[in-house]
Coordinates of all heavy atoms in Angstrom, one line a residue:
D1 N 103.8 78.0 111.5 CA 104.0 76.8 110.7 C 103.7 77.1 109.2 O 104.5 76.7 108.4 CB 103.1 75.6 111.1 CG 103.3 75.2 112.5 OD1 104.5 74.9 112.9 OD2 102.4 74.9 113.2
A2 N 102.7 77.9 108.9 CA 102.5 78.4 107.5 C 103.7 79.2 107.1 O 104.1 79.0 105.9 CB 101.2 79.1 107.6
S3 N 104.2 80.1 107.9 CA 105.3 80.9 107.5 C 106.5 80.1 107.2 O 107.3 80.4 106.3 CB 105.6 81.9 108.6 OG 104.5 82.8 108.9
Q4 N 106.8 79.1 108.0 CA 107.8 78.2 107.7 C 107.8 77.5 106.4 O 108.8 77.4 105.7 CB 108.0 77.2 108.9 CG 109.2 76.3 108.8 CD 109.2 75.2 109.9 OE1 108.2 74.8 110.5 NE2 110.4 74.9 110.4
L5 N 106.6 77.1 106.0 CA 106.4 76.4 104.8 C 106.6 77.3 103.6 O 107.3 77.0 102.6 CB 105.0 75.7 104.6 CG 104.7 75.1 103.3 CD1 105.6 73.9 103.1 CD2 103.2 74.7 103.3
I6 N 106.1 78.6 103.8 CA 106.3 79.6 102.7 C 107.8 79.9 102.5 O 108.1 80.0 101.4 CB 105.5 81.0 103.1 CG1 104.0 80.6 103.0 CG2 105.8 82.0 102.2 CD1 103.0 81.7 103.6
F7 N 108.5 80.1 103.6 CA 110.0 80.4 103.6 C 110.6 79.2 102.8 O 111.5 79.4 101.9 CB 110.5 80.5 104.9 CG 112.0 80.7 104.9 CD1 112.5 81.9 104.7 CD2 112.9 79.6 105.2 CE1 113.9 82.2 104.6 CE2 114.3 79.8 105.1 CZ 114.8 81.0 104.9
A8 N 110.3 78.0 103.2 CA 110.9 76.8 102.5 C 110.6 76.8 101.0 O 111.4 76.5 100.1 CB 110.4 75.5 103.1
C9 N 109.4 77.2 100.6 CA 109.0 77.3 99.2 C 109.7 78.5 98.5 O 110.0 78.3 97.3 CB 107.5 77.5 99.0 SG 106.6 76.0 99.6
L10 N 110.0 79.6 99.1 CA 110.6 80.7 98.5 C 112.1 80.9 98.6 O 112.6 81.8 98.0 CB 109.8 82.0 99.0 CG 108.3 82.0 98.7 CD1 107.7 83.2 99.5 CD2 107.9 82.1 97.3
A11 N 112.7 80.2 99.5 CA 114.1 80.4 99.8 C 115.1 80.1 98.7 O 116.1 80.6 98.7 CB 114.6 79.6 101.2
H12 N 114.7 79.2 97.9 CA 115.6 78.7 96.7 C 115.7 79.7 95.7 O 114.7 80.5 95.4 CB 115.1 77.4 96.2 CG 116.1 76.7 95.4 ND1 116.3 76.9 94.1 CD2 117.0 75.7 95.8 CE1 117.3 76.1 93.5 NE2 117.7 75.4 94.6
P13 N 116.9 79.9 95.1 CA 117.0 80.9 94.0 C 116.1 80.7 92.9 O 115.7 81.6 92.1 CB 118.5 80.8 93.4 CG 119.2 80.2 94.7 CD 118.2 79.3 95.4
M14 N 115.7 79.4 92.6 CA 114.7 79.1 91.5 C 113.2 79.1 91.9 O 112.4 78.7 91.2 CB 115.1 77.8 90.9 CG 116.4 77.8 90.2 SD 116.6 79.0 88.9 CE 115.5 78.4 87.7
S15 N 113.0 79.6 93.2 CA 111.6 79.6 93.7 C 110.7 80.6 92.9 O 111.2 81.4 92.2 CB 111.6 79.8 95.2 OG 112.4 78.8 95.9
A16 N 109.5 80.5 93.3 CA 108.4 81.5 92.7 C 108.9 82.8 93.1 O 109.4 83.1 94.2 CB 107.1 81.1 93.2
Q17 N 108.5 83.7 92.1 CA 108.8 85.2 92.3 C 107.7 86.0 92.8 O 108.0 87.1 93.1 CB 109.4 85.7 90.9 CG 110.7 85.0 90.5 CD 111.8 85.1 91.4 OE1 112.2 86.3 91.8 NE2 112.5 84.0 91.7
W18 N 106.5 85.4 92.7 CA 105.4 86.2 93.1 C 104.4 85.4 94.1 O 104.4 84.2 94.1 CB 104.5 86.5 91.8 CG 105.2 87.4 90.9 CD1 106.1 87.1 89.9 CD2 105.1 88.9 90.8 NE1 106.6 88.2 89.2 CE2 105.9 89.2 89.7 CE3 104.3 89.8 91.5 CZ2 106.0 90.6 89.3 CZ3 104.5 91.1 91.1 CH2 105.3 91.5 90.1
I19 N 103.8 86.2 94.9 CA 102.8 85.6 95.8 C 101.5 86.3 95.5 O 101.4 87.6 95.7 CB 103.2 85.7 97.3 CG1 104.4 85.0 97.7 CG2 102.0 85.2 98.1 CD1 104.8 85.1 99.0
L20 N 100.5 85.5 95.1 CA 99.2 86.1 94.8 C 98.2 85.7 96.0 O 98.1 84.5 96.2 CB 98.6 85.7 93.5 CG 99.4 85.9 92.2 CD1 98.8 85.5 90.9 CD2 99.8 87.4 92.1
E21 N 97.5 86.7 96.5 CA 96.5 86.3 97.5 C 95.1 86.6 97.0 O 94.9 87.6 96.3 CB 96.7 87.3 98.8 CG 95.6 87.0 99.8 CD 95.7 88.0 101.0 OE1 96.6 88.9 101.0 OE2 94.9 87.9 102.0
S22 N 94.3 85.6 97.1 CA 93.0 85.7 96.6 C 91.9 85.4 97.8 O 92.3 84.8 98.7 CB 92.6 84.8 95.4 OG 92.8 83.4 95.8
D23 N 90.6 85.8 97.6 CA 89.7 85.5 98.5 C 88.4 85.3 97.8 O 88.1 85.7 96.7 CB 89.5 86.8 99.4 CG 88.7 86.5 100.7 OD1 88.3 85.4 101.0 OD2 88.5 87.5 101.5
I24 N 87.5 84.5 98.5 CA 86.2 84.1 97.9 C 85.2 85.1 98.5 O 84.9 85.2 99.7 CB 85.8 82.7 98.4 CG1 86.8 81.6 97.9 CG2 84.4 82.4 97.8 CD1 86.5 80.3 98.3
H25 N 84.7 86.0 97.5 CA 83.9 87.1 97.9 C 82.5 86.5 98.5 O 81.8 85.8 97.8 CB 83.6 88.0 96.8 CG 82.7 89.2 97.0 ND1 83.0 90.2 97.9 CD2 81.5 89.3 96.7 CE1 82.1 91.1 98.0 NE2 81.0 90.6 97.2
G26 N 82.1 87.0 99.7 CA 80.9 86.6 100.3 C 80.7 85.1 100.5 O 79.6 84.7 100.4
C27 N 81.9 84.5 100.7 CA 81.8 82.9 100.9 C 80.7 82.5 102.0 O 79.8 81.7 101.7 CB 83.1 82.4 101.2 SG 83.1 80.6 101.5
F28 N 80.8 83.1 103.2 CA 80.0 82.8 104.3 C 78.5 83.1 104.0 O 77.6 82.4 104.5 CB 80.4 83.4 105.6 CG 81.5 82.8 106.3 CD1 82.8 83.2 106.2 CD2 81.2 81.8 107.2 CE1 84.0 82.6 106.8 CE2 82.4 81.2 107.9 CZ 83.6 81.6 107.7
D29 N 78.3 84.1 103.3 CA 76.9 84.7 103.1 C 76.2 83.9 102.0 O 75.0 83.9 102.0 CB 76.9 86.1 102.7 CG 77.6 87.0 103.9 OD1 77.4 86.6 105.1 OD2 78.1 88.0 103.4
N30 N 77.0 83.2 101.1 CA 76.2 82.8 99.9 C 76.4 81.2 99.6 O 75.8 80.7 98.6 CB 76.8 83.5 98.6 CG 76.5 85.0 98.7 OD1 75.4 85.4 98.8 ND2 77.7 85.7 98.7
I31 N 77.1 80.6 100.5 CA 77.4 79.1 100.3 C 76.1 78.3 100.3 O 75.1 78.6 101.1 CB 78.4 78.6 101.4 CG1 78.8 77.2 100.9 CG2 77.7 78.7 102.7 CD1 79.9 76.7 101.7
S32 N 75.9 77.5 99.5 CA 74.7 76.6 99.3 C 74.5 75.6 100.4 O 75.4 74.8 100.7 CB 74.7 75.8 97.9 OG 73.7 74.9 97.9
H33 N 73.3 75.7 101.0 CA 73.0 74.7 102.1 C 73.0 73.3 101.6 O 73.4 72.3 102.2 CB 71.7 75.0 102.8 CG 71.8 76.3 103.6 ND1 70.7 76.7 104.3 CD2 72.7 77.1 103.9 CE1 71.0 77.9 104.9 NE2 72.2 78.1 104.7

């Protein structure tokens, strides 16, 4: 389902040209209780 949405977002000639992937470093280890 996620792949389908990404395809729909990128399939148009005027769609975004870049995909940036980011991650939250140490999220599980440091999140505030």
Side-chain angles (χ1 to χ4, degrees):
D1 296 316
S3 298
Q4 184 180 32
L5 177 62
I6 291 173
F7 177 80
C9 292
L10 298 176
H12 195 273
M14 298 301 293
S15 297
Q17 299 298 306
W18 296 85
I19 298 177
L20 303 182
E21 179 185 0
S22 65
D23 197 2
I24 301 173
H25 179 69
C27 176
F28 277 94
D29 299 329
N30 300 300
I31 191 169
S32 165
H33 287 180

